[in-house]
Structures are given as C-alpha cells and as structure tokens.
Amino acid sequence: MKSLTSTLQKTKRALKKEQKKPVEKVCSCRVPADEYIKLEDELNNLGYKNMSAYFREIILARKREYNISELEQYKVFLVNKISNNVNQIAKVMHKDIKKSDEVDYKKVADLLDEYLNELYILVG
C-alpha cells in the first residue's frame, strides 16, 4: 500500500511540474514622471489595462524602418544597374545562340566577369 501512495504522490508532483507557467522575462525602462503620466493617459484612452500589453503590441507589431545613408542608396542603385546590364547580356546571348553557333563567348564572359568584379567591390 505504501508503494501505491508514493507512486500517486510522484504522479501528482509530475503533473504539477507540467502545469507550471512558462518562464517570463522582465523588460523595464525608466521614464520621467511627466512622461509616465502621459503614458498612463494614453493607456487609459486606448483601453489597455496594463503597460506590458501596450508595449508588446507597439514594439512587436510596428513596421521596421531602416535609415539608409546616401552612400548605401547609391550602392543599391549601382547594383541594380549592373544586374540589369548582366540580364541584357544574357538575353543577347540567348538570341545569338538561336541565330547561330558563332558567338564570341569569350567577349561576353569577360564582360560578365567585369560586372561581377564591380559587384564584389560595391558590396564589399
């Protein structure tokens, strides 16, 4: 009888362990008193009961905006132009292959290699 009781106790303990809530991490920040009052007012106006739900929604649901410098924008522009040129070369090659077998592939390969090197330099 004793072993049955100990088995039941072990089973109850195992069930309690399974029912535990997942571990939660705390994220906090400090704000001046006047900003805290504004936050509370906004929470009340929007119908939130606590700040945690509000902050999670604001932070996790927001769209990410990236500030790209002018240099980075120019690099993207150049990469787009180069890739467009490579695409045009590929189209010409396919047309020439259909017309005849006497295409100067070495010249085209050199051009593609040149564009690829430019891309490597730009991307860094």
Side-chain angles (χ1 to χ4, degrees):
M1 195 65 153
K2 197 172 194 182
S3 63
L4 181 62
T5 307
S6 65
T7 305
L8 286 173
Q9 289 173 347
K10 287 179 185 177
T11 305
K12 286 180 183 178
R13 275 187 256 140
L15 286 173
K16 282 183 182 179
K17 284 183 183 179
E18 288 179 12
Q19 293 174 354
K20 285 185 179 178
K21 292 182 180 179
V23 176
E24 294 180 0
K25 301 290 183 186
V26 176
C27 300
S28 62
C29 66
R30 296 180 187 273
V31 293
D34 60 329
E35 289 180 8
Y36 187 83
I37 292 169
K38 290 177 185 177
L39 280 172
E40 280 187 324
D41 288 343
E42 186 171 345
L43 289 172
N44 290 332
N45 291 338
L46 295 173
Y48 287 94
K49 294 183 180 179
N50 63 42
M51 284 193 187
S52 294
Y54 174 71
F55 288 137
R56 277 194 305 274
E57 185 173 318
I58 294 296
I59 292 170
L60 297 176
R62 73 182 168 95
K63 292 182 180 177
R64 308 297 195 263
E65 293 183 19
Y66 299 100
N67 187 11
I68 300 176
S69 69
E70 285 185 35
L71 178 61
E72 293 299 317
Q73 289 177 358
Y74 185 67
K75 284 182 180 180
V76 169
F77 170 77
L78 287 178
V79 168
N80 286 336
K81 288 297 240 182
I82 292 169
S83 63
N84 187 30
N85 288 342
V86 170
N87 197 17
Q88 289 175 0
I89 291 169
K91 285 181 182 179
V92 169
M93 281 182 63
H94 287 293
K95 285 180 186 176
D96 286 345
I97 289 171
K98 290 178 183 177
K99 289 181 182 177
S100 70
D101 291 333
E102 300 175 12
V103 178
D104 189 4
Y105 292 107
K106 177 69 175 150
K107 188 184 287 185
V108 173
D110 289 342
L111 275 173
L112 287 173
D113 192 42
E114 182 182 324
Y115 286 132
L116 186 61
N117 288 332
E118 287 182 35
L119 278 171
Y120 283 135
I121 291 168
L122 284 174
V123 174

